[in-house]
């Protein structure tokens, strides 16, 4: 991995490489994504795209409740805490690459504009990106320019919003049920109360 790190620094610059938790992450500018990915495929032999996903950094580093595991392994005490946003840009696209030939792995990250999250498709470089990009579009609202079939893949055609964005309500916007009389699915306003996912329990 050290050899790969040195080669990447020489090609992309030291400020763009993060070495943490035994993994390398290369951050590239959104406008350079095609050029960078072609270089990674052809020069560094990253022939396989293992995964591609969207990332939402909204409230990154913030937490309403701080969890401390007990030494006995029983319960966890949670205490209220605050936090500040520790990230400048909200959305990113992460690509996880594999070089079968060299047995190298690399994460590539590109930040996109929050107001209009858009990035060039890499389906022409790795065909496997097709459905991954559709999923990132569906769940995060990230647009992949020049994708030949960019449409929702997991949610319904009439679905409003992008459910993996952190500001999307956990209870959703609408609920659906099958109406026997109408003989079809009916959408209605959500009837359940919003709930906090973290238990507000402080144990000794």
């Amino acid at each position: 991995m050290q050899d790969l790190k040195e080669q990447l620094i020489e090609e992309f610059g030291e400020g763009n490489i993060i070495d943490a938790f035994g993994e390398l992450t290369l951050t590239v500018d959104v406008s350079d994504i095609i050029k960078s990915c072609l270089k990674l495929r052809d020069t560094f032999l990253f022939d396989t795209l293992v995964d591609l996903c969207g990332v939402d950094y909204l409230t990154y580093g913030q937490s309403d409740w701080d969890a401390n595991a007990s030494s006995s392994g029983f319960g966890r005490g949670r205490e209220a805490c605050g936090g500040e946003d520790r990230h400048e840009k909200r959305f990113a696209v992460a690509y996880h690459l594999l070089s079968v030939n060299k047995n190298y792995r690399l994460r590539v990250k590109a930040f996109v504009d929050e107001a209009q999250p858009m990035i060039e498709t890499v389906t022409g470089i790795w065909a496997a990106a097709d459905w991954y990009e559709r999923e990132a579009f569906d769940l995060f609202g990230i647009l992949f320019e020049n994708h030949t079939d960019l449409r929702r893949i997991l949610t319904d055609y009439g679905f409003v919003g992008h459910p993996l964005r952190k500001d999307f309500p956990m209870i959703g916007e609408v609920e659906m049920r099958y109406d026997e009389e109408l003989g079809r699915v009916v959408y209605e306003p959500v009837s359940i109360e919003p709930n906090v996912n973290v238990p507000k329990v402080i144990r000794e």
Side-chain angles (χ1 to χ4, degrees):
M1 193 172 81
Q2 188 59 35
D3 291 343
L4 174 62
K5 181 180 176 181
E6 290 171 4
Q7 293 168 28
L8 289 169
I9 288 173
E10 188 177 335
E11 184 65 45
F12 296 98
E14 190 169 4
N16 296 320
I17 309 293
I18 298 171
D19 183 355
F21 306 107
E23 296 179 352
L24 290 175
T25 301
L26 168 66
T27 303
V28 299
D29 192 84
V30 67
S31 59
D32 294 332
I33 191 65
I34 298 299
K35 182 176 73 174
S36 300
C37 287
L38 282 170
K39 190 170 289 292
L40 289 168
R41 185 193 67 182
D42 300 337
T43 305
F44 291 87
L45 304 180
F46 284 102
D47 50 2
T48 305
L49 175 72
V50 177
D51 188 26
L52 179 157
C53 61
V55 183
D56 184 357
Y57 284 99
L58 183 71
T59 68
Y60 177 75
Q62 298 179 28
S63 176
D64 292 332
W65 298 89
D66 183 29
N68 299 309
S70 69
S71 57
S72 66
F74 244 79
R76 290 185 296 173
R78 297 195 175 266
E79 298 177 0
C81 70
E84 295 180 5
D85 193 356
R86 296 199 308 239
H87 224 280
E88 299 172 3
K89 298 182 180 178
R90 177 171 176 185
F91 295 112
V93 179
Y95 307 79
H96 297 93
L97 307 180
L98 168 68
S99 171
V100 175
N101 183 272
K102 296 189 173 185
N103 196 24
Y104 286 156
R105 290 180 184 270
L106 176 69
R107 180 186 299 112
V108 178
K109 197 183 329 183
F111 288 92
V112 295
D113 181 53
E114 181 179 350
Q116 190 176 17
M118 184 179 291
I119 191 168
E120 189 81 17
T121 181
V122 294
T123 50
I125 302 171
W126 299 288
D130 188 356
W131 280 17
Y132 293 141
E133 290 182 349
R134 284 181 60 190
E135 183 179 29
F137 161 69
D138 189 2
L139 302 181
F140 289 93
I142 297 170
L143 299 167
F144 292 88
E145 199 173 3
N146 296 323
H147 191 289
T148 57
D149 189 24
L150 194 63
R151 57 193 165 98
R152 291 189 181 272
I153 191 170
L154 294 173
T155 59
D156 194 9
Y157 288 114
F159 192 88
V160 177
H162 305 283
L164 283 189
R165 288 189 173 190
K166 289 187 178 176
D167 53 3
F168 189 86
M170 293 189 69
I171 59 172
E173 303 282 6
V174 294
E175 61 186 30
M176 53 188 273
R177 64 176 177 81
Y178 182 78
D179 191 296
E180 292 282 353
E181 292 180 9
L182 297 175
R184 63 180 176 85
V185 171
V186 177
Y187 290 88
E188 297 172 335
V190 179
S191 60
I192 61 174
E193 296 270 330
N195 192 17
V196 176
N197 245 6
V198 180
K200 299 179 183 178
V201 178
I202 299 176
R203 299 191 178 104
E204 290 291 327

